[in-house]
Amino acid sequence: MSWDDGLTGTARNIAGTNDNPLRVMAGPGTGKSFAMKRRVARLLEGGQDPRRVLAVTFTRNAATSLVSDLHALGIANCERVHVGTLHAFCFGLLSQQQVFDYLGRVPRPIVTFAKSGVLQFEGKVMLDDLLSAGAFGPKRDCARRIRAFEAAWARLQSELPGWPQDPIDRQFQAALISWLRFHRAILIGELVPEALRFLRNNPAATACAAFDHVIVDEYQDLNKAEQDLIDLLAGNGSTAIVGDVDQSIYRFRHANPEGIESFQVQHPTTHDETLDECRRCPIQVVTVADHLIRHNHPGIELPRLQPKEGNSAGEVQIVQWAGIVEEAQGLAAYVHSLVSRGRYSPGDILILTPRRLLGYGIRDRITDSGVPVHSFYQEEALESDAAQRAFALLSLLVDPDDRVALRWWLGVGSPSSRKNAYSRLRQHYEIAGTAPRAALEELEQGALTLAGVGQLVTKYRELRAVLAGLAVQTLAQVVDTLLPAGNDDCSVLREVATLAMPQMETVGDLFDRIKTHITQPEMPEEGEFVRVMSLHKSKGLTSKVAIVAGCTEGLIPFIDDKQPRAEQEAVLREQRRLFYVAITRCTEVLVLSTAARMERKFAWKIGAKIQPGGSGHGHTITSRFIDELGPTAPSTRSGDQWVASWYSP
């Protein structure tokens, strides 16, 4: 078919214009992906060399979908277009140009996740060591500095990515790079700053003139370093960016709405197109979503999002349960009702929660009801000690000299990761040039003496025994030993391993599959199971039924009262955008749920706000965002009333 078959209005303008650069402001469900795919189709049909087209997507799923849809359109050579995430592109660029080699770096990623703002697993031992390297503040401050380092220290849109300006930041960067270089590792977030540095310093590099067209999706989620990298890659070619100010939700990565709002300042010839007609969501959902997000734009009368004419009215329900146990049980019963009555399949249902513990409670009750369900939280695969131990052992089985995995093993079980003893081992390396494993071998055999490292030798001796036992096992036995059946702590990794077992031959194959699952997680766009995940993870997904649970102050929105007032306001606006993203995932039904009471200890653990009192339980405060949905939103009903009405609107 031709690229413009069935295209009219703004969508045709987006696909057909040659104006450069092109900025498309597109609200949720407005068809931006459809229009951009047709733009690529037009270029290829017009004879454009597909190898000189770069399409940057926010997820690998989106990249796969773009190529699949172009194939479905019958577009020749579409598989030769460069499509993928910006980090994947940077890794390829740095590898091809041998940048890692001349920087003395090894592209072994640090496997980590954040919990309460602090890096965990391999990131934890890295932070423990860095705390001893300078006066950088507590772990949470160090984690924030790492985020800034990954953004090339451009914390604000007005800042130029490059070297840190603050003296403490400079000291921190030196200590961090030293740690990474010694442990032969990188942070995944380093890829963009390193690629940016390479292209800035090497303007004659082929990558600077490799593309005639650069097309970028979700531009509002790029930080300043990523934006500057896109400009370098576009060179003298054509740039088209697509995004939405109201869906900017990655401020913790130093991305903010100003990036796409001020695009025309650096690009004066910008041609603008706007998509504000929501094709995905029913009319009721669009109406409440628009009323919500307009609180971020005081004084603006025009709607930010409008319903598509002819869409169904849809269904919006707001429910409050007596407590979080009742909420989990009630929502599970609702899901079971939808499925058992044949109204929806499990794959039609998406459940979003601001905290994984709330999601786990709902997931477990759905499992009890017999409905297939899976949860998708970034940290869950490696949150247990057993899963972390299994991953580290697999790393060391594949590469006994993996310094990061060895560092974790030596520190596990100690609150400080035995950082003082490990510092002595590292100092020995600096003087004698003996690698950590070799030094431990010498210490274990009595050929070397170092004071204060006895615990490290004991841990290493234990490691050698475990690895020796695993080395004589079959692949299936290794899986059963490290990821035993029936152990919930390892269930995520075991499922990955068992599903891939027919395609695997070696422990290296097993480790590669698990590492990819952890470091490059992707949310399934479909599957015959209910999906439970965070609000952030829902970005880009669509579902017939969307349930947002935990709509409680302190959770939605989450605001740190200790921050300056201006920072609190900025966070509130982003939290509102996050809620806006969540409620615009559905095509038919939206349910917003909250619990009226909560155990005080649990509320403190997850950050929920409850009213003062002396009892073990307290009343929660419903999210202010519920009231911001406007006059067309339905009244909140109790869970008992909702159940008694057979879940009718």
Side-chain angles (χ1 to χ4, degrees), residues 288-314:
V288 298
D290 178 66
H291 201 280
L292 168 80
I293 204 61
R294 276 203 262 174
H295 283 76
N296 273 4
H297 307 276
I300 293 180
E301 299 296 329
L302 294 176
R304 306 286 299 176
L305 191 67
Q306 303 186 70
K308 181 179 182 296
E309 185 177 351
N311 276 10
S312 66

PDB file of all heavy atoms in Angstrom, residues 288-314:
ATOM      1  N   VAL A 288     -12.019  13.192  32.063  1.00  0.00           N
ATOM      2  CA  VAL A 288     -11.428  13.332  33.399  1.00  0.00           C
ATOM      3  C   VAL A 288      -9.912  13.516  33.303  1.00  0.00           C
ATOM      4  O   VAL A 288      -9.315  14.245  34.106  1.00  0.00           O
ATOM      5  CB  VAL A 288     -11.775  12.127  34.302  1.00  0.00           C
ATOM      6  CG1 VAL A 288     -13.279  12.035  34.510  1.00  0.00           C
ATOM      7  CG2 VAL A 288     -11.228  10.821  33.757  1.00  0.00           C
ATOM      8  N   ALA A 289      -9.281  12.863  32.323  1.00  0.00           N
ATOM      9  CA  ALA A 289      -7.832  13.012  32.158  1.00  0.00           C
ATOM     10  C   ALA A 289      -7.483  14.442  31.779  1.00  0.00           C
ATOM     11  O   ALA A 289      -6.507  15.019  32.283  1.00  0.00           O
ATOM     12  CB  ALA A 289      -7.320  12.037  31.105  1.00  0.00           C
ATOM     13  N   ASP A 290      -8.257  15.021  30.891  1.00  0.00           N
ATOM     14  CA  ASP A 290      -8.000  16.403  30.477  1.00  0.00           C
ATOM     15  C   ASP A 290      -8.192  17.361  31.643  1.00  0.00           C
ATOM     16  O   ASP A 290      -7.398  18.295  31.837  1.00  0.00           O
ATOM     17  CB  ASP A 290      -8.921  16.780  29.322  1.00  0.00           C
ATOM     18  CG  ASP A 290      -8.729  18.226  28.881  1.00  0.00           C
ATOM     19  OD1 ASP A 290      -7.636  18.537  28.361  1.00  0.00           O
ATOM     20  OD2 ASP A 290      -9.654  19.044  29.082  1.00  0.00           O
ATOM     21  N   HIS A 291      -9.234  17.138  32.437  1.00  0.00           N
ATOM     22  CA  HIS A 291      -9.478  18.014  33.585  1.00  0.00           C
ATOM     23  C   HIS A 291      -8.328  17.911  34.582  1.00  0.00           C
ATOM     24  O   HIS A 291      -7.899  18.918  35.167  1.00  0.00           O
ATOM     25  CB  HIS A 291     -10.800  17.630  34.260  1.00  0.00           C
ATOM     26  CG  HIS A 291     -11.383  18.733  35.096  1.00  0.00           C
ATOM     27  ND1 HIS A 291     -10.941  19.008  36.382  1.00  0.00           N
ATOM     28  CD2 HIS A 291     -12.366  19.640  34.835  1.00  0.00           C
ATOM     29  CE1 HIS A 291     -11.632  20.026  36.864  1.00  0.00           C
ATOM     30  NE2 HIS A 291     -12.495  20.433  35.955  1.00  0.00           N
ATOM     31  N   LEU A 292      -7.800  16.712  34.759  1.00  0.00           N
ATOM     32  CA  LEU A 292      -6.669  16.509  35.667  1.00  0.00           C
ATOM     33  C   LEU A 292      -5.432  17.272  35.194  1.00  0.00           C
ATOM     34  O   LEU A 292      -4.834  18.044  35.950  1.00  0.00           O
ATOM     35  CB  LEU A 292      -6.352  15.016  35.757  1.00  0.00           C
ATOM     36  CG  LEU A 292      -5.022  14.662  36.431  1.00  0.00           C
ATOM     37  CD1 LEU A 292      -5.171  14.712  37.944  1.00  0.00           C
ATOM     38  CD2 LEU A 292      -4.527  13.285  35.975  1.00  0.00           C
ATOM     39  N   ILE A 293      -5.033  17.048  33.949  1.00  0.00           N
ATOM     40  CA  ILE A 293      -3.748  17.567  33.493  1.00  0.00           C
ATOM     41  C   ILE A 293      -3.765  19.081  33.318  1.00  0.00           C
ATOM     42  O   ILE A 293      -2.714  19.728  33.355  1.00  0.00           O
ATOM     43  CB  ILE A 293      -3.310  16.867  32.184  1.00  0.00           C
ATOM     44  CG1 ILE A 293      -1.784  16.951  32.025  1.00  0.00           C
ATOM     45  CG2 ILE A 293      -4.029  17.438  30.972  1.00  0.00           C
ATOM     46  CD1 ILE A 293      -1.006  16.290  33.135  1.00  0.00           C
ATOM     47  N   ARG A 294      -4.940  19.666  33.193  1.00  0.00           N
ATOM     48  CA  ARG A 294      -5.006  21.118  33.063  1.00  0.00           C
ATOM     49  C   ARG A 294      -4.593  21.832  34.356  1.00  0.00           C
ATOM     50  O   ARG A 294      -4.313  23.031  34.334  1.00  0.00           O
ATOM     51  CB  ARG A 294      -6.391  21.556  32.612  1.00  0.00           C
ATOM     52  CG  ARG A 294      -6.535  21.483  31.085  1.00  0.00           C
ATOM     53  CD  ARG A 294      -7.621  22.395  30.579  1.00  0.00           C
ATOM     54  NE  ARG A 294      -8.864  21.667  30.355  1.00  0.00           N
ATOM     55  CZ  ARG A 294     -10.011  22.236  30.026  1.00  0.00           C
ATOM     56  NH1 ARG A 294     -10.075  23.532  29.888  1.00  0.00           N
ATOM     57  NH2 ARG A 294     -11.090  21.510  29.840  1.00  0.00           N
ATOM     58  N   HIS A 295      -4.533  21.087  35.467  1.00  0.00           N
ATOM     59  CA  HIS A 295      -4.024  21.675  36.702  1.00  0.00           C
ATOM     60  C   HIS A 295      -2.532  21.984  36.588  1.00  0.00           C
ATOM     61  O   HIS A 295      -2.001  22.764  37.389  1.00  0.00           O
ATOM     62  CB  HIS A 295      -4.272  20.728  37.877  1.00  0.00           C
ATOM     63  CG  HIS A 295      -5.691  20.723  38.356  1.00  0.00           C
ATOM     64  ND1 HIS A 295      -6.713  20.070  37.681  1.00  0.00           N
ATOM     65  CD2 HIS A 295      -6.274  21.306  39.437  1.00  0.00           C
ATOM     66  CE1 HIS A 295      -7.844  20.242  38.328  1.00  0.00           C
ATOM     67  NE2 HIS A 295      -7.608  20.987  39.391  1.00  0.00           N
ATOM     68  N   ASN A 296      -1.855  21.386  35.616  1.00  0.00           N
ATOM     69  CA  ASN A 296      -0.449  21.717  35.356  1.00  0.00           C
ATOM     70  C   ASN A 296      -0.304  22.943  34.472  1.00  0.00           C
ATOM     71  O   ASN A 296       0.822  23.406  34.252  1.00  0.00           O
ATOM     72  CB  ASN A 296       0.261  20.534  34.687  1.00  0.00           C
ATOM     73  CG  ASN A 296       0.811  19.541  35.683  1.00  0.00           C
ATOM     74  OD1 ASN A 296       0.612  19.676  36.884  1.00  0.00           O
ATOM     75  ND2 ASN A 296       1.509  18.528  35.196  1.00  0.00           N
ATOM     76  N   HIS A 297      -1.429  23.450  33.953  1.00  0.00           N
ATOM     77  CA  HIS A 297      -1.398  24.583  33.024  1.00  0.00           C
ATOM     78  C   HIS A 297      -2.450  25.610  33.447  1.00  0.00           C
ATOM     79  O   HIS A 297      -3.432  25.837  32.727  1.00  0.00           O
ATOM     80  CB  HIS A 297      -1.663  24.106  31.594  1.00  0.00           C
ATOM     81  CG  HIS A 297      -0.762  22.993  31.150  1.00  0.00           C
ATOM     82  ND1 HIS A 297       0.497  23.206  30.648  1.00  0.00           N
ATOM     83  CD2 HIS A 297      -0.944  21.640  31.152  1.00  0.00           C
ATOM     84  CE1 HIS A 297       1.053  22.045  30.344  1.00  0.00           C
ATOM     85  NE2 HIS A 297       0.210  21.085  30.639  1.00  0.00           N
ATOM     86  N   PRO A 298      -2.278  26.231  34.608  1.00  0.00           N
ATOM     87  CA  PRO A 298      -3.290  27.192  35.080  1.00  0.00           C
ATOM     88  C   PRO A 298      -3.471  28.343  34.099  1.00  0.00           C
ATOM     89  O   PRO A 298      -2.507  28.839  33.521  1.00  0.00           O
ATOM     90  CB  PRO A 298      -2.707  27.678  36.417  1.00  0.00           C
ATOM     91  CG  PRO A 298      -1.248  27.365  36.349  1.00  0.00           C
ATOM     92  CD  PRO A 298      -1.129  26.132  35.515  1.00  0.00           C
ATOM     93  N   GLY A 299      -4.716  28.714  33.912  1.00  0.00           N
ATOM     94  CA  GLY A 299      -5.023  29.834  33.027  1.00  0.00           C
ATOM     95  C   GLY A 299      -5.308  29.431  31.598  1.00  0.00           C
ATOM     96  O   GLY A 299      -5.786  30.246  30.806  1.00  0.00           O
ATOM     97  N   ILE A 300      -5.012  28.173  31.244  1.00  0.00           N
ATOM     98  CA  ILE A 300      -5.271  27.716  29.879  1.00  0.00           C
ATOM     99  C   ILE A 300      -6.687  27.154  29.798  1.00  0.00           C
ATOM    100  O   ILE A 300      -7.054  26.252  30.552  1.00  0.00           O
ATOM    101  CB  ILE A 300      -4.241  26.648  29.452  1.00  0.00           C
ATOM    102  CG1 ILE A 300      -2.850  27.275  29.352  1.00  0.00           C
ATOM    103  CG2 ILE A 300      -4.635  26.010  28.127  1.00  0.00           C
ATOM    104  CD1 ILE A 300      -1.763  26.304  28.941  1.00  0.00           C
ATOM    105  N   GLU A 301      -7.479  27.695  28.891  1.00  0.00           N
ATOM    106  CA  GLU A 301      -8.881  27.284  28.763  1.00  0.00           C
ATOM    107  C   GLU A 301      -9.072  26.137  27.777  1.00  0.00           C
ATOM    108  O   GLU A 301      -9.971  25.318  27.921  1.00  0.00           O
ATOM    109  CB  GLU A 301      -9.741  28.484  28.331  1.00  0.00           C
ATOM    110  CG  GLU A 301      -9.729  29.641  29.327  1.00  0.00           C
ATOM    111  CD  GLU A 301     -10.335  29.252  30.662  1.00  0.00           C
ATOM    112  OE1 GLU A 301     -11.233  28.393  30.676  1.00  0.00           O
ATOM    113  OE2 GLU A 301      -9.896  29.807  31.686  1.00  0.00           O
ATOM    114  N   LEU A 302      -8.232  26.083  26.751  1.00  0.00           N
ATOM    115  CA  LEU A 302      -8.408  25.053  25.725  1.00  0.00           C
ATOM    116  C   LEU A 302      -8.063  23.680  26.275  1.00  0.00           C
ATOM    117  O   LEU A 302      -7.146  23.536  27.094  1.00  0.00           O
ATOM    118  CB  LEU A 302      -7.519  25.362  24.518  1.00  0.00           C
ATOM    119  CG  LEU A 302      -7.866  26.616  23.725  1.00  0.00           C
ATOM    120  CD1 LEU A 302      -6.821  26.835  22.631  1.00  0.00           C
ATOM    121  CD2 LEU A 302      -9.260  26.502  23.116  1.00  0.00           C
ATOM    122  N   PRO A 303      -8.769  22.650  25.857  1.00  0.00           N
ATOM    123  CA  PRO A 303      -8.460  21.293  26.330  1.00  0.00           C
ATOM    124  C   PRO A 303      -7.090  20.835  25.851  1.00  0.00           C
ATOM    125  O   PRO A 303      -6.634  21.187  24.768  1.00  0.00           O
ATOM    126  CB  PRO A 303      -9.588  20.445  25.727  1.00  0.00           C
ATOM    127  CG  PRO A 303     -10.083  21.225  24.556  1.00  0.00           C
ATOM    128  CD  PRO A 303      -9.924  22.664  24.930  1.00  0.00           C
ATOM    129  N   ARG A 304      -6.419  20.042  26.687  1.00  0.00           N
ATOM    130  CA  ARG A 304      -5.133  19.444  26.319  1.00  0.00           C
ATOM    131  C   ARG A 304      -5.350  18.153  25.540  1.00  0.00           C
ATOM    132  O   ARG A 304      -4.514  17.764  24.725  1.00  0.00           O
ATOM    133  CB  ARG A 304      -4.318  19.137  27.578  1.00  0.00           C
ATOM    134  CG  ARG A 304      -4.112  20.300  28.518  1.00  0.00           C
ATOM    135  CD  ARG A 304      -3.121  21.279  27.997  1.00  0.00           C
ATOM    136  NE  ARG A 304      -1.806  20.695  27.802  1.00  0.00           N
ATOM    137  CZ  ARG A 304      -0.776  21.354  27.280  1.00  0.00           C
ATOM    138  NH1 ARG A 304      -0.925  22.604  26.862  1.00  0.00           N
ATOM    139  NH2 ARG A 304       0.400  20.769  27.131  1.00  0.00           N
ATOM    140  N   LEU A 305      -6.456  17.474  25.810  1.00  0.00           N
ATOM    141  CA  LEU A 305      -6.769  16.198  25.176  1.00  0.00           C
ATOM    142  C   LEU A 305      -8.260  16.159  24.899  1.00  0.00           C
ATOM    143  O   LEU A 305      -9.077  16.506  25.764  1.00  0.00           O
ATOM    144  CB  LEU A 305      -6.374  15.035  26.101  1.00  0.00           C
ATOM    145  CG  LEU A 305      -6.392  13.632  25.510  1.00  0.00           C
ATOM    146  CD1 LEU A 305      -5.304  13.484  24.451  1.00  0.00           C
ATOM    147  CD2 LEU A 305      -6.203  12.581  26.605  1.00  0.00           C
ATOM    148  N   GLN A 306      -8.620  15.753  23.683  1.00  0.00           N
ATOM    149  CA  GLN A 306     -10.020  15.716  23.295  1.00  0.00           C
ATOM    150  C   GLN A 306     -10.409  14.316  22.830  1.00  0.00           C
ATOM    151  O   GLN A 306      -9.595  13.599  22.240  1.00  0.00           O
ATOM    152  CB  GLN A 306     -10.277  16.708  22.165  1.00  0.00           C
ATOM    153  CG  GLN A 306      -9.885  18.135  22.494  1.00  0.00           C
ATOM    154  CD  GLN A 306     -10.290  19.099  21.399  1.00  0.00           C
ATOM    155  OE1 GLN A 306     -11.476  19.365  21.210  1.00  0.00           O
ATOM    156  NE2 GLN A 306      -9.317  19.613  20.671  1.00  0.00           N
ATOM    157  N   PRO A 307     -11.649  13.916  23.095  1.00  0.00           N
ATOM    158  CA  PRO A 307     -12.079  12.581  22.653  1.00  0.00           C
ATOM    159  C   PRO A 307     -12.330  12.548  21.155  1.00  0.00           C
ATOM    160  O   PRO A 307     -12.740  13.553  20.556  1.00  0.00           O
ATOM    161  CB  PRO A 307     -13.374  12.362  23.435  1.00  0.00           C
ATOM    162  CG  PRO A 307     -13.897  13.740  23.702  1.00  0.00           C
ATOM    163  CD  PRO A 307     -12.688  14.619  23.862  1.00  0.00           C
ATOM    164  N   LYS A 308     -12.064  11.406  20.559  1.00  0.00           N
ATOM    165  CA  LYS A 308     -12.355  11.225  19.138  1.00  0.00           C
ATOM    166  C   LYS A 308     -13.853  11.030  18.959  1.00  0.00           C
ATOM    167  O   LYS A 308     -14.491  10.272  19.682  1.00  0.00           O
ATOM    168  CB  LYS A 308     -11.609  10.007  18.592  1.00  0.00           C
ATOM    169  CG  LYS A 308     -11.819   9.756  17.110  1.00  0.00           C
ATOM    170  CD  LYS A 308     -11.031   8.537  16.661  1.00  0.00           C
ATOM    171  CE  LYS A 308     -11.191   8.299  15.163  1.00  0.00           C
ATOM    172  NZ  LYS A 308     -12.588   7.968  14.805  1.00  0.00           N
ATOM    173  N   GLU A 309     -14.390  11.746  18.001  1.00  0.00           N
ATOM    174  CA  GLU A 309     -15.816  11.636  17.733  1.00  0.00           C
ATOM    175  C   GLU A 309     -16.155  10.192  17.354  1.00  0.00           C
ATOM    176  O   GLU A 309     -15.478   9.573  16.540  1.00  0.00           O
ATOM    177  CB  GLU A 309     -16.213  12.578  16.595  1.00  0.00           C
ATOM    178  CG  GLU A 309     -17.704  12.610  16.322  1.00  0.00           C
ATOM    179  CD  GLU A 309     -18.072  13.598  15.234  1.00  0.00           C
ATOM    180  OE1 GLU A 309     -17.184  14.375  14.809  1.00  0.00           O
ATOM    181  OE2 GLU A 309     -19.241  13.588  14.790  1.00  0.00           O
ATOM    182  N   GLY A 310     -17.179   9.670  17.971  1.00  0.00           N
ATOM    183  CA  GLY A 310     -17.594   8.301  17.678  1.00  0.00           C
ATOM    184  C   GLY A 310     -17.077   7.273  18.660  1.00  0.00           C
ATOM    185  O   GLY A 310     -17.524   6.118  18.650  1.00  0.00           O
ATOM    186  N   ASN A 311     -16.114   7.661  19.526  1.00  0.00           N
ATOM    187  CA  ASN A 311     -15.649   6.725  20.546  1.00  0.00           C
ATOM    188  C   ASN A 311     -16.765   6.425  21.540  1.00  0.00           C
ATOM    189  O   ASN A 311     -17.672   7.240  21.750  1.00  0.00           O
ATOM    190  CB  ASN A 311     -14.440   7.290  21.293  1.00  0.00           C
ATOM    191  CG  ASN A 311     -13.139   7.039  20.558  1.00  0.00           C
ATOM    192  OD1 ASN A 311     -13.146   6.618  19.410  1.00  0.00           O
ATOM    193  ND2 ASN A 311     -12.025   7.320  21.207  1.00  0.00           N
ATOM    194  N   SER A 312     -16.686   5.286  22.190  1.00  0.00           N
ATOM    195  CA  SER A 312     -17.702   4.899  23.174  1.00  0.00           C
ATOM    196  C   SER A 312     -17.593   5.784  24.408  1.00  0.00           C
ATOM    197  O   SER A 312     -16.559   6.421  24.652  1.00  0.00           O
ATOM    198  CB  SER A 312     -17.523   3.443  23.576  1.00  0.00           C
ATOM    199  OG  SER A 312     -16.296   3.278  24.277  1.00  0.00           O
ATOM    200  N   ALA A 313     -18.675   5.802  25.187  1.00  0.00           N
ATOM    201  CA  ALA A 313     -18.664   6.591  26.422  1.00  0.00           C
ATOM    202  C   ALA A 313     -17.694   5.998  27.430  1.00  0.00           C
ATOM    203  O   ALA A 313     -17.023   6.715  28.169  1.00  0.00           O
ATOM    204  CB  ALA A 313     -20.066   6.654  27.021  1.00  0.00           C
ATOM    205  N   GLY A 314     -17.593   4.692  27.449  1.00  0.00           N
ATOM    206  CA  GLY A 314     -16.673   4.036  28.367  1.00  0.00           C
ATOM    207  C   GLY A 314     -17.200   3.989  29.788  1.00  0.00           C
ATOM    208  O   GLY A 314     -18.369   4.299  30.062  1.00  0.00           O
TER     209      GLY A 314
END
